[in-house]
Amino acid sequence: HDGLSVDDIQEPIDRSWMLRLCEMVDQSTRALDRFDYAVALDHIEGVFWVFCDHYLELVKGRAYRETNLVKKRSALATLYLTLKTFVLCFAPYLPYMTEEISSWSFLADAESGSVHLQAWPKVADLSGNGDPQYLEVAIDILTQIRGEKTANQKSLNFPVSEVIVRCDASFESILVDVREDVVRAGSIEKWTVEVAQMDKPVIEMVF
């Protein structure tokens, strides 16, 4: 993992995701402390699917193709710590699978040879100081883009000539920071923001 650490996580959308991950660790830990294993698993699975369906789609372009090393390392560090956290959290429920996955990478620097002898994740070891709005806004816009493509019988990677985002002025700074990831994920050629009195960002697409 090339020395990746929580200190590499600098991008607002990555910090926003790590906040969601910290909430999952906190909630599942509290449930396990009450011996409520089903509730703990529900917390873990819920966030896992948000990761697979949304965050991973938003960030994978930056992880693979970004030329700015600070932005790229932010994505890679977030992905590394997220996957490591999921492996540890799923270990009590999927013992054989998590043991195999952990042997690929996550135990390379561990004293123990088994994931089942590793410490449970701690919120203090993760970066939970992000703003939840960044992830929420990015997911909302990407979901609208996917919906428009589906409605127009286009594949999800079909290029879009322009996306016009109409939103309240309070969202402008957030859109600046999530734009690059959303543009990559949505295969968008031109991105325009128009200020309007709206409760949340709404898009218009031009194919």
Side-chain angles (χ1 to χ4, degrees), residues 96-113:
Y96 299 109
M97 184 183 297
T98 52
E99 184 77 351
E100 175 65 20
I101 294 171
S102 66
S103 70
W104 301 343
S105 174
F106 301 125
L107 294 179
D109 55 358
E111 295 180 2
S112 167

Side-chain angles (χ1 to χ4, degrees), residues 114-129:
S114 173
V115 68
H116 303 295
L117 296 177
Q118 301 304 304
W120 183 258
K122 296 180 180 178
V123 171
D125 295 332
L126 303 171
S127 177
N129 60 349

Side-chain angles (χ1 to χ4, degrees), residues 17 21 24-25 28-29 32 37-52 81-102 106 115-116 118-121:
W17 165 255
L21 193 69
M24 179 204 76
V25 170
S28 59
T29 301
L32 288 173
Y37 307 113
V39 169
L41 181 58
D42 187 58
H43 287 308
I44 297 165
E45 286 184 328
V47 175
F48 176 75
W49 289 118
V50 173
F51 171 74
C52 294
L81 291 170
T82 296
L83 292 172
K84 184 175 182 179
T85 300
F86 278 132
V87 167
L88 291 170
C89 287
F90 277 121
Y93 303 96
L94 301 168
Y96 299 109
M97 184 183 297
T98 52
E99 184 77 351
E100 175 65 20
I101 294 171
S102 66
F106 301 125
V115 68
H116 303 295
Q118 301 304 304
W120 183 258

